[in-house]
Amino acid sequence: MAVSKKLRVGVVGLRMGKNHVKGFQAHPEAEVVAVCDQNPTVLAAVADELGVKGRYTQPELMFANAGLDAVSIATPNKFHAPLSIAALAQGLHVLCEKPMAMNAVEARQMNDAAQRAERTLMINFSYRFSDMSYALKQQVEAGAVGDIYFGRTVWHRRRGIPGLGGSFTNVELAGGGPLIDLGVHRLDLALWLMGYPQPVAVTGSAYHTLGREIAAAKEATFTVEDLACGLVKFANGATLVVEASWAVNIDEREHMVTQLCGTRGGLVQKNLGGEYRFTAEVYTEESGHLFTKKLDWSTVAAPTSYREFLDSIIAGRPPLATGEEGLKVMQILDGIYESARTGSEVRYPAPVAV
Ligand SMILES: NC(=O)c1ccc[n+]([C@@H]2O[C@H](COP(=O)([O-])OP(=O)(O)OC[C@H]3O[C@@H](n4cnc5c(N)ncnc54)[C@H](O)[C@@H]3O)[C@@H](O)[C@H]2O)c1
């Protein structure tokens, strides 16, 4: 769909969603005409600060009445699927926060709704949308690492439970803990660099130790895992280890690493000093010599996920970070949680087309 007028955009959920508003406002061919939060205080504060006229406390009323072309959903996870489906049914393009849903069943329903409505469904896998990540993708596409057959993708926090007692630590609202919250970013980054291979089997474990103790001391709800890990096998023979925690006894405050090993080389993207500072390296062997190259991303200019969403609508092309990729992520997360619960390997009978 090619459009000539400015895209009219709305945002639901104005904590993380405040960043969405700013991201959309930075696009020259879009305007944020309405925002929605069920909390009137948050709604007024964000709308006033960012100068948005349309204000709603009920998303469905915004979808029906604000004259929108597109909307982003940044509520707690439980509302991602119902609100995305309702918006798509109103003919709106949707950018949905990660994780796209509580589970793969909901994720599939969202993709079906997007297909029925012939509208875009993009997932906000924001860690992909950086110059560094794009430069790594370029290395992979240029063949620097060959075929990737093993990887490890990790996000641990020594102590870092988000909103203890709020939506993140309540399984009814979040669907899971650090795996579905943080692991989802690292999983998407690894899968994207690997070309989103087809998962065939998963085993996993989930732990409920430190988080419950921390929450009990504060009489806060904590019904999710505090650490989960999984081993994912793909149809192309590759294996990926996934790890995520909000509370684990390690050295660093935050430990993020995505390491991928290929037939011709390897790469790593990791944080430095326990902080949100990142570096990336590529490892190769040439004529019997081993080389470690610090990745140079200075010439790369990745779009923000908000820009990519709007650009894809304007160009009438599929976005990067599609709902189908989000579904694959949810299937892997579901598999890890199920394997942790049953103690058995989970196999995927039907391939997912991406
Ligand atoms: N991509 C990223 O890097 C990133 C970063 C942070 C959060 N997130 C995701 O964004 C989502 C929101 O996270 P958060 O930290 O802002 O959560 P939060 O719970 O702090 O805030 C959610 C906001 O949504 C509002 N809300 C809740 N239900 C609503 C509904 N049905 N209709 C309208 N408003 C509603 C709440 O009043 C609140 O202001 C989560 O899914 C989270 O995983 C993504």
Short mmCIF file of all heavy atoms in Angstrom, two decimals, residues 235-276:
data_model
loop_
_atom_site.label_atom_id
_atom_site.label_comp_id
_atom_site.label_asym_id
_atom_site.label_seq_id
_atom_site.Cartn_x
_atom_site.Cartn_y
_atom_site.Cartn_z
N ALA A 235 16.40 -27.65 12.29
CA ALA A 235 16.33 -28.59 11.18
C ALA A 235 17.63 -28.62 10.37
O ALA A 235 17.98 -29.64 9.78
CB ALA A 235 15.16 -28.23 10.26
N ASN A 236 18.37 -27.51 10.36
CA ASN A 236 19.63 -27.47 9.60
C ASN A 236 20.81 -28.05 10.38
O ASN A 236 21.96 -27.97 9.97
CB ASN A 236 19.94 -26.03 9.15
CG ASN A 236 20.22 -25.10 10.32
OD1 ASN A 236 20.23 -25.53 11.48
ND2 ASN A 236 20.42 -23.83 10.04
N GLY A 237 20.52 -28.64 11.57
CA GLY A 237 21.58 -29.28 12.37
C GLY A 237 22.20 -28.36 13.41
O GLY A 237 22.95 -28.82 14.27
N ALA A 238 21.89 -27.06 13.36
CA ALA A 238 22.49 -26.12 14.33
C ALA A 238 21.87 -26.29 15.71
O ALA A 238 20.74 -26.79 15.85
CB ALA A 238 22.28 -24.69 13.83
N THR A 239 22.63 -25.86 16.72
CA THR A 239 22.18 -25.91 18.11
C THR A 239 22.40 -24.54 18.74
O THR A 239 23.43 -23.90 18.51
CB THR A 239 23.02 -26.94 18.91
OG1 THR A 239 22.87 -28.21 18.29
CG2 THR A 239 22.55 -27.04 20.35
N LEU A 240 21.44 -24.11 19.56
CA LEU A 240 21.55 -22.82 20.24
C LEU A 240 21.21 -23.01 21.72
O LEU A 240 20.18 -23.59 22.05
CB LEU A 240 20.58 -21.81 19.61
CG LEU A 240 20.60 -20.39 20.20
CD1 LEU A 240 21.91 -19.68 19.91
CD2 LEU A 240 19.42 -19.58 19.64
N VAL A 241 22.09 -22.49 22.58
CA VAL A 241 21.83 -22.47 24.02
C VAL A 241 21.29 -21.10 24.37
O VAL A 241 21.84 -20.08 23.95
CB VAL A 241 23.14 -22.75 24.81
CG1 VAL A 241 22.89 -22.62 26.31
CG2 VAL A 241 23.68 -24.13 24.46
N VAL A 242 20.20 -21.07 25.12
CA VAL A 242 19.56 -19.81 25.55
C VAL A 242 19.57 -19.77 27.07
O VAL A 242 19.24 -20.77 27.71
CB VAL A 242 18.09 -19.75 25.07
CG1 VAL A 242 17.48 -18.38 25.39
CG2 VAL A 242 17.96 -20.06 23.61
N GLU A 243 19.95 -18.63 27.66
CA GLU A 243 19.95 -18.49 29.13
C GLU A 243 19.42 -17.11 29.49
O GLU A 243 19.79 -16.13 28.84
CB GLU A 243 21.36 -18.62 29.70
CG GLU A 243 22.08 -19.90 29.37
CD GLU A 243 23.56 -19.84 29.75
OE1 GLU A 243 23.93 -19.09 30.69
OE2 GLU A 243 24.35 -20.52 29.08
N ALA A 244 18.61 -17.03 30.53
CA ALA A 244 18.13 -15.72 30.98
C ALA A 244 17.79 -15.77 32.47
O ALA A 244 17.24 -16.77 32.95
CB ALA A 244 16.89 -15.31 30.20
N SER A 245 18.14 -14.71 33.17
CA SER A 245 17.77 -14.65 34.59
C SER A 245 17.63 -13.20 35.04
O SER A 245 18.22 -12.28 34.47
CB SER A 245 18.79 -15.37 35.46
OG SER A 245 20.02 -14.69 35.41
N TRP A 246 16.85 -13.03 36.12
CA TRP A 246 16.73 -11.73 36.79
C TRP A 246 17.48 -11.74 38.12
O TRP A 246 17.62 -10.70 38.75
CB TRP A 246 15.27 -11.43 37.12
CG TRP A 246 14.39 -11.05 35.99
CD1 TRP A 246 14.73 -10.42 34.82
CD2 TRP A 246 12.96 -11.21 35.96
NE1 TRP A 246 13.61 -10.21 34.07
CE2 TRP A 246 12.52 -10.67 34.74
CE3 TRP A 246 12.03 -11.76 36.85
CZ2 TRP A 246 11.17 -10.66 34.39
CZ3 TRP A 246 10.70 -11.75 36.49
CH2 TRP A 246 10.27 -11.20 35.28
N ALA A 247 17.86 -12.92 38.58
CA ALA A 247 18.57 -13.02 39.86
C ALA A 247 19.39 -14.30 39.82
O ALA A 247 18.84 -15.40 39.80
CB ALA A 247 17.58 -13.07 41.03
N VAL A 248 20.72 -14.14 39.78
CA VAL A 248 21.60 -15.31 39.74
C VAL A 248 22.94 -14.89 40.32
O VAL A 248 23.35 -13.72 40.21
CB VAL A 248 21.75 -15.83 38.28
CG1 VAL A 248 22.41 -14.81 37.37
CG2 VAL A 248 22.50 -17.15 38.25
N ASN A 249 23.62 -15.81 40.95
CA ASN A 249 24.86 -15.45 41.64
C ASN A 249 26.05 -15.50 40.69
O ASN A 249 26.72 -16.53 40.56
CB ASN A 249 25.04 -16.36 42.85
CG ASN A 249 24.00 -16.07 43.91
OD1 ASN A 249 23.70 -14.89 44.16
ND2 ASN A 249 23.41 -17.09 44.49
N ILE A 250 26.26 -14.37 40.01
CA ILE A 250 27.39 -14.21 39.09
C ILE A 250 28.13 -12.92 39.45
O ILE A 250 27.70 -12.17 40.31
CB ILE A 250 26.91 -14.13 37.61
CG1 ILE A 250 25.88 -13.00 37.44
CG2 ILE A 250 26.39 -15.47 37.14
CD1 ILE A 250 25.56 -12.65 36.01
N ASP A 251 29.22 -12.68 38.72
CA ASP A 251 30.08 -11.54 38.99
C ASP A 251 29.43 -10.22 38.58
O ASP A 251 29.32 -9.28 39.35
CB ASP A 251 31.40 -11.75 38.24
CG ASP A 251 32.35 -10.58 38.38
OD1 ASP A 251 32.19 -9.82 39.35
OD2 ASP A 251 33.24 -10.43 37.52
N GLU A 252 28.95 -10.18 37.31
CA GLU A 252 28.51 -8.89 36.74
C GLU A 252 27.08 -8.54 37.12
O GLU A 252 26.26 -9.42 37.38
CB GLU A 252 28.59 -8.97 35.21
CG GLU A 252 29.98 -9.07 34.68
CD GLU A 252 29.94 -9.42 33.20
OE1 GLU A 252 29.59 -10.56 32.85
OE2 GLU A 252 30.24 -8.53 32.39
N ARG A 253 26.80 -7.23 37.09
CA ARG A 253 25.44 -6.74 37.36
C ARG A 253 24.50 -7.20 36.23
O ARG A 253 23.41 -7.69 36.48
CB ARG A 253 25.48 -5.21 37.42
CG ARG A 253 24.33 -4.57 38.13
CD ARG A 253 24.61 -3.09 38.34
NE ARG A 253 24.71 -2.38 37.06
CZ ARG A 253 23.66 -1.93 36.38
NH1 ARG A 253 22.45 -2.08 36.85
NH2 ARG A 253 23.82 -1.30 35.23
N GLU A 254 24.96 -7.00 35.00
CA GLU A 254 24.24 -7.50 33.82
C GLU A 254 25.25 -8.24 32.96
O GLU A 254 26.37 -7.76 32.77
CB GLU A 254 23.69 -6.34 32.96
CG GLU A 254 22.77 -5.39 33.65
CD GLU A 254 21.30 -5.60 33.29
OE1 GLU A 254 20.98 -6.50 32.48
OE2 GLU A 254 20.49 -4.85 33.84
N HIS A 255 24.88 -9.38 32.44
CA HIS A 255 25.78 -10.15 31.58
C HIS A 255 25.00 -10.53 30.32
O HIS A 255 24.08 -11.33 30.37
CB HIS A 255 26.25 -11.41 32.32
CG HIS A 255 27.06 -12.32 31.47
ND1 HIS A 255 28.32 -12.02 31.02
CD2 HIS A 255 26.80 -13.56 30.99
CE1 HIS A 255 28.79 -13.02 30.30
NE2 HIS A 255 27.88 -13.97 30.25
N MET A 256 25.37 -9.88 29.20
CA MET A 256 24.68 -10.17 27.94
C MET A 256 25.71 -10.63 26.92
O MET A 256 26.73 -9.96 26.73
CB MET A 256 24.02 -8.90 27.39
CG MET A 256 22.88 -8.40 28.22
SD MET A 256 22.27 -6.82 27.57
CE MET A 256 22.57 -5.76 28.95
N VAL A 257 25.45 -11.74 26.28
CA VAL A 257 26.35 -12.21 25.23
C VAL A 257 25.58 -13.04 24.22
O VAL A 257 24.70 -13.83 24.59
CB VAL A 257 27.55 -13.01 25.82
CG1 VAL A 257 27.10 -14.21 26.61
CG2 VAL A 257 28.52 -13.42 24.73
N THR A 258 25.89 -12.80 22.97
CA THR A 258 25.39 -13.66 21.89
C THR A 258 26.61 -14.09 21.09
O THR A 258 27.29 -13.25 20.48
CB THR A 258 24.37 -12.91 21.00
OG1 THR A 258 23.23 -12.59 21.81
CG2 THR A 258 23.93 -13.76 19.82
N GLN A 259 26.93 -15.37 21.15
CA GLN A 259 28.13 -15.92 20.51
C GLN A 259 27.69 -16.94 19.49
O GLN A 259 26.95 -17.88 19.82
CB GLN A 259 29.00 -16.59 21.58
CG GLN A 259 30.23 -17.30 21.03
CD GLN A 259 31.50 -16.79 21.65
OE1 GLN A 259 31.52 -16.52 22.84
NE2 GLN A 259 32.56 -16.66 20.87
N LEU A 260 28.11 -16.76 18.24
CA LEU A 260 27.71 -17.70 17.20
C LEU A 260 28.96 -18.24 16.51
O LEU A 260 29.87 -17.47 16.17
CB LEU A 260 26.81 -17.00 16.18
CG LEU A 260 25.48 -16.46 16.77
CD1 LEU A 260 24.71 -15.66 15.72
CD2 LEU A 260 24.62 -17.59 17.30
N CYS A 261 29.02 -19.55 16.33
CA CYS A 261 30.20 -20.21 15.77
C CYS A 261 29.84 -20.85 14.44
O CYS A 261 28.87 -21.62 14.35
CB CYS A 261 30.70 -21.28 16.74
SG CYS A 261 31.06 -20.61 18.37
N GLY A 262 30.63 -20.53 13.41
CA GLY A 262 30.34 -21.04 12.08
C GLY A 262 31.51 -21.82 11.51
O GLY A 262 32.58 -21.95 12.13
N THR A 263 31.31 -22.33 10.30
CA THR A 263 32.31 -23.17 9.65
C THR A 263 33.55 -22.39 9.24
O THR A 263 34.64 -22.96 9.11
CB THR A 263 31.70 -23.83 8.40
OG1 THR A 263 31.03 -22.82 7.63
CG2 THR A 263 30.70 -24.91 8.77
N ARG A 264 33.41 -21.08 9.03
CA ARG A 264 34.58 -20.28 8.61
C ARG A 264 35.03 -19.27 9.64
O ARG A 264 36.12 -18.73 9.55
CB ARG A 264 34.25 -19.55 7.30
CG ARG A 264 34.02 -20.51 6.15
CD ARG A 264 33.74 -19.77 4.87
NE ARG A 264 34.79 -18.81 4.55
CZ ARG A 264 34.66 -17.82 3.68
NH1 ARG A 264 33.51 -17.66 3.05
NH2 ARG A 264 35.65 -17.00 3.44
N GLY A 265 34.16 -18.98 10.60
CA GLY A 265 34.50 -17.98 11.61
C GLY A 265 33.47 -17.95 12.71
O GLY A 265 32.55 -18.77 12.74
N GLY A 266 33.63 -17.00 13.61
CA GLY A 266 32.68 -16.86 14.70
C GLY A 266 32.46 -15.39 14.99
O GLY A 266 33.19 -14.52 14.49
N LEU A 267 31.44 -15.10 15.77
CA LEU A 267 31.20 -13.71 16.15
C LEU A 267 30.63 -13.66 17.55
O LEU A 267 30.03 -14.62 18.04
CB LEU A 267 30.28 -13.01 15.15
CG LEU A 267 28.87 -13.57 14.95
CD1 LEU A 267 27.90 -13.03 15.98
CD2 LEU A 267 28.39 -13.22 13.54
N VAL A 268 30.85 -12.52 18.17
CA VAL A 268 30.27 -12.30 19.48
C VAL A 268 29.77 -10.87 19.58
O VAL A 268 30.38 -9.95 19.01
CB VAL A 268 31.29 -12.61 20.61
CG1 VAL A 268 32.40 -11.56 20.66
CG2 VAL A 268 30.61 -12.68 21.97
N GLN A 269 28.65 -10.71 20.27
CA GLN A 269 28.15 -9.38 20.64
C GLN A 269 27.91 -9.47 22.13
O GLN A 269 27.26 -10.38 22.61
CB GLN A 269 26.84 -9.07 19.88
CG GLN A 269 26.40 -7.62 19.92
CD GLN A 269 25.35 -7.34 21.00
OE1 GLN A 269 25.16 -8.13 21.91
NE2 GLN A 269 24.72 -6.20 20.91
N LYS A 270 28.52 -8.55 22.90
CA LYS A 270 28.41 -8.67 24.35
C LYS A 270 28.47 -7.30 25.01
O LYS A 270 28.93 -6.33 24.41
CB LYS A 270 29.55 -9.54 24.90
CG LYS A 270 30.92 -8.99 24.62
CD LYS A 270 32.01 -9.96 25.09
CE LYS A 270 33.38 -9.39 24.72
NZ LYS A 270 34.48 -10.28 25.04
N ASN A 271 28.01 -7.25 26.25
CA ASN A 271 28.10 -5.98 26.99
C ASN A 271 29.43 -5.92 27.73
O ASN A 271 30.13 -6.94 27.89
CB ASN A 271 26.91 -5.80 27.94
CG ASN A 271 26.96 -6.72 29.14
OD1 ASN A 271 27.33 -7.88 29.03
ND2 ASN A 271 26.60 -6.20 30.29
N LEU A 272 29.76 -4.72 28.19
CA LEU A 272 31.06 -4.49 28.83
C LEU A 272 30.86 -4.01 30.26
O LEU A 272 30.02 -3.13 30.51
CB LEU A 272 31.86 -3.44 28.06
CG LEU A 272 32.27 -3.84 26.63
CD1 LEU A 272 32.78 -2.62 25.87
CD2 LEU A 272 33.33 -4.93 26.67
N GLY A 273 31.63 -4.56 31.18
CA GLY A 273 31.66 -4.07 32.56
C GLY A 273 30.32 -4.14 33.27
O GLY A 273 30.06 -3.33 34.17
N GLY A 274 29.46 -5.06 32.86
CA GLY A 274 28.16 -5.20 33.51
C GLY A 274 27.20 -4.08 33.20
O GLY A 274 26.16 -3.94 33.84
N GLU A 275 27.55 -3.27 32.17
CA GLU A 275 26.72 -2.11 31.85
C GLU A 275 26.08 -2.26 30.47
O GLU A 275 26.36 -3.20 29.75
CB GLU A 275 27.60 -0.84 31.87
CG GLU A 275 28.18 -0.57 33.25
CD GLU A 275 29.16 0.59 33.24
OE1 GLU A 275 29.31 1.23 32.18
OE2 GLU A 275 29.79 0.82 34.29
N TYR A 276 25.26 -1.24 30.12
CA TYR A 276 24.62 -1.25 28.80
C TYR A 276 25.54 -0.60 27.78
O TYR A 276 25.15 0.31 27.06
CB TYR A 276 23.26 -0.54 28.87
CG TYR A 276 22.17 -1.41 29.46
CD1 TYR A 276 22.20 -1.81 30.78
CD2 TYR A 276 21.11 -1.85 28.69
CE1 TYR A 276 21.23 -2.60 31.33
CE2 TYR A 276 20.11 -2.65 29.23
CZ TYR A 276 20.18 -3.01 30.55
OH TYR A 276 19.19 -3.81 31.08
#
